[in-house]
Amino acid sequence: MAIKLQLSGFDDLFEQIKKAEGNVDKAAEQCLQESAQIMHSELTAQMQKSGVDSDLINRMPTPELMRDGNTLIARVGYKKGAYNPDDLSDGFKVVFLNYGTPKRSKHGKVEAKGFIDKAQRKAKKPIKQKQEETLKKIIGELQ
């Protein structure tokens, strides 16, 4: 004895999902770009408040978006590169200013400024709001 099941009405749903998929990708990418810009702005503001040299702040690269399969990634801040104590990259300079150099004795200690953590805490709420807005927009398109 065979059981036969006929489903109808799903063709329209599949078409809506396919149509929304492109919009979801665009919305997610735009949300991530705006979130990265929020973090970039907050990091800049916290660095200024902490007294970081303006030339170093101005050399911070713009946020960079990358895609790895279905994952979108935003890089905000400096790239450290290879460590060269004779010619420090901007990334290492920022790391040393942020976390300090408590064990260094030859050239003097640098007190930790902690601007990265402050920027992350201050940017968290606006970024979450942006993500919620985007999710509501995506859900609205599916309904």
Side-chain angles (χ1 to χ4, degrees):
M1 175 169 146
I3 297 175
K4 189 174 185 179
L5 179 64
Q6 183 177 4
L7 300 174
S8 60
F10 283 101
D11 293 334
D12 293 335
L13 179 61
F14 288 136
E15 284 300 315
Q16 286 178 331
I17 290 172
K18 281 183 182 180
K19 181 180 171 188
E21 185 177 351
N23 294 340
V24 168
D25 284 344
K26 288 178 191 174
E29 193 169 322
Q30 180 181 359
C31 176
L32 188 63
Q33 180 67 40
E34 291 173 6
S35 297
Q37 194 58 47
I38 290 169
M39 185 63 206
H40 185 272
S41 299
E42 194 58 49
L43 184 58
T44 301
Q46 290 301 321
M47 288 174 77
Q48 289 171 342
K49 282 184 183 178
S50 296
V52 176
D53 184 40
S54 61
D55 289 338
L56 184 59
I57 294 171
N58 292 334
R59 288 193 304 264
M60 184 179 355
T62 57
E64 179 182 331
L65 292 183
M66 297 175 282
R67 183 178 291 273
D68 184 19
N70 289 336
T71 305
L72 284 171
I73 301 165
R75 263 188 72 87
V76 178
Y78 300 85
K79 292 182 181 178
K80 286 192 298 187
Y83 179 71
N84 179 356
D86 297 325
D87 185 25
L88 287 177
S89 68
D90 288 342
F92 276 106
K93 290 176 186 176
V94 169
V95 167
F96 295 149
L97 288 171
N98 183 64
Y99 296 108
T101 56
K103 295 181 181 181
R104 187 170 79 173
S105 59
K106 184 177 181 181
H107 300 289
K109 296 179 181 183
V110 174
E111 292 296 319
K113 297 181 184 284
F115 51 83
I116 294 175
D117 194 39
K118 290 175 189 172
Q120 288 173 336
R121 276 185 272 142
K122 283 196 118 181
K124 186 175 183 175
K125 188 174 180 180
I127 288 173
K128 188 171 182 173
Q129 287 175 340
K130 180 58 66 183
Q131 292 170 347
E132 287 175 0
E133 288 173 16
T134 302
L135 184 60
K136 287 177 184 177
K137 179 181 172 184
I138 291 169
I139 291 172
E141 290 177 1
L142 288 175
Q143 292 179 346

